[in-house]
Structure formats: structure tokens, C-alpha cells
Amino acid sequence: KQEVTQIPAALSVPEGENLVLNCSFTDSAIYNLQWFRQDPGKGLTSLLLIQSSQREQTSGRLNASLDKSSGRSTLYIAASQPGDSATYLCAVKGDQTGANNLFFGTGTRLTVIP
Amino acid sequence: NAGVTQTPKFRILKIGQSMTLQCTQDMNHNYMYWYRQDPGMGLKLIYYSVGAGITDKGEVPNGYNVSRSTTEDFPLRLELAAPSQTSVYFCASSYGDSQETQYFGPGTRLLVL
């Protein structure tokens, strides 16, 4: 069974700092990997989706990379802002057919200090 | 579009009571999902549906039931609530299954005492 781990569980950084969030997964047979943002009391918002054939995706100040062979992904946030404070979840989709194969990590809670 | 909506936002149940969590999406998505998120844990799939009239179990289906009579609605039924079902429940939908992202509702926080 796929296991998804996110380290660290929590991170505090001063405003303006660049930071990296890590995600690792045990089974490299994946279809894609997504990074989500979760605000307190809210649902998940998809930030970036990387297909298994891709190495990275970028959206604004966010850049996500994928190294399928080593089972790792990173989310890079440039010039962090207080509005970036949230929990960031990564989710891995297995390459088997069917919908029952999206596995979530436990998340990294990010606090950006003004 | 409202996206994915869930009701209620918060509910307290007594052990043994039953309730239905409502989920509606207005994006004409074929796929719908129910997840639960326990404190400090990742989301786990309870049930999913690939279209009206078709449902299937996820990783943690015990104690729950679902139905999908329309494309828009995917209610989750809790029978005989137990403290172990205290959690935050998220409904999600997607157009397809493969490379499509899932859109999540705001969640229902359930406390079983």
C-alpha cells in the first residue's frame, strides 16, 4: 500500500523567506502527484498537479518538482507572505485503474510571520 | 458556480444516532468522493461514485452508506454513530478519474459523544 510522508509537520518562517516543503512516497508506480492547500475550517484547494512524465510544474511563486524514481516531491514557495500560512498536503495517485487510489500525506502546517 | 457544497458545517451526535451528510456539486462532474480527515492524519477515502447509480467502497467504508441518484448529489449516511466516527468529512468531485484534479467542499465537522 502506498504511504505518503510529509516532513516537517510544521514550519514557521519570517515573511520574505524562500522555503521548501517535502513529500515522499513509497511506491513509485504513480500516475500523478498533487499539492493542495488547506485553510482552517475550509476544504482543499489544488495548487499544482504533476503528471508522472513531468519533472516540475510552476504557478506564480510556487514550483513543484517530482522525482518519481526516488519517491520524492518538493514544493518551493518563493518570497513567502503571511497569506501563504496554511496546511499544505501532497497526494499521490496510483497508476492502477479506478478512483480508489489517491493517497494523502498528513500535511505541513506553514506559518509565515510578518 | 458554487462548486461543491456541504451541509451541515458542524454537528454533534449522540452514540447510536443516525444522520446524513449532504453534498452537492454544480460542475456536472461524473466522479464524486467522500473522505474523512482525522486530526494529524491524511484524508482517507470512504466511498466514491463514478456516475449516477454507481458507488463503490473506499479504504474505510465501515459504518457508512452512500447513494447517487443524481449527478449532482452524493449523500453520506451514518448509521448508529460511534465515537470513532468523530472526524471532519470532505466531499469532492472531479470530471474524470485519471488526470483530473478533485474539487473539495468546505467540510462537515462531526462530533460523536
Side-chain angles (χ1 to χ4, degrees):
Chain A
K1 180 192 166 188
Q2 180 76 267
E3 299 286 343
V4 182
T5 304
Q6 291 186 248
I7 295 174
L11 179 66
S12 290
V13 299
E15 182 177 1
E17 193 164 293
N18 302 326
L19 60 101
V20 174
L21 307 180
N22 297 294
C23 173
S24 61
F25 47 96
T26 55
D27 187 349
S28 62
I30 67 169
Y31 196 91
N32 60 43
L33 182 145
Q34 277 191 269
W35 283 92
F36 290 89
R37 170 185 173 134
Q38 184 177 25
D39 292 287
K42 302 286 182 63
L44 281 66
T45 301
S46 180
L47 297 173
L48 291 164
L49 186 153
I50 311 175
Q51 302 296 342
S52 62
S53 59
Q54 297 175 320
R55 296 285 292 182
E56 65 179 339
Q57 282 284 343
T58 298
S59 176
R61 295 182 293 107
L62 305 179
N63 175 276
S65 68
L66 173 64
D67 185 342
K68 198 172 72 165
S69 61
S70 68
R72 295 173 189 248
S73 175
T74 61
L75 179 66
Y76 174 82
I77 302 177
S80 59
Q81 303 171 358
D84 294 330
S85 297
T87 296
Y88 291 81
L89 299 167
C90 74
V92 171
K93 188 165 184 65
D95 65 358
Q96 307 87 351
T97 57
N100 186 17
N101 59 2
L102 187 63
F103 300 94
F104 284 84
T106 54
T108 294
R109 183 182 301 171
L110 173 66
T111 302
V112 181
I113 304 166
Chain B
N1 287 349
V4 180
T5 57
Q6 293 183 239
T7 57
K9 291 184 179 179
F10 175 68
R11 181 77 181 267
I12 299 175
L13 279 183
K14 294 182 179 179
I15 295 172
Q17 287 185 319
S18 301
M19 77 166 292
T20 299
L21 283 67
Q22 302 292 343
C23 175
T24 301
Q25 54 91 9
D26 63 359
M27 297 173 282
N28 201 32
H29 284 168
N30 295 317
Y31 286 68
M32 296 188 74
Y33 315 81
W34 274 106
Y35 294 91
R36 60 178 286 173
Q37 184 180 34
D38 299 325
M41 305 292 287
L43 278 72
K44 293 188 184 297
L45 184 65
I46 305 171
Y47 271 95
Y48 66 98
S49 169
V50 301
I54 306 170
T55 63
D56 207 346
K57 296 177 180 179
E59 184 180 358
V60 289
N62 292 343
Y64 307 95
N65 280 299
V66 294
S67 60
R68 183 94 181 270
S69 57
T70 66
T71 299
E72 295 79 19
D73 300 306
F74 190 40
L76 177 71
R77 177 81 176 164
L78 277 72
E79 305 281 2
L80 298 175
S84 62
Q85 294 178 304
T86 293
S87 190
V88 180
Y89 292 84
F90 289 101
C91 178
S93 72
S94 64
Y95 182 74
D97 167 50
S98 56
Q99 56 188 316
E100 303 290 336
T101 190
Q102 294 183 14
Y103 295 85
F104 282 78
T108 293
R109 187 175 298 272
L110 177 66
L111 181 60
V112 181
L113 299 175

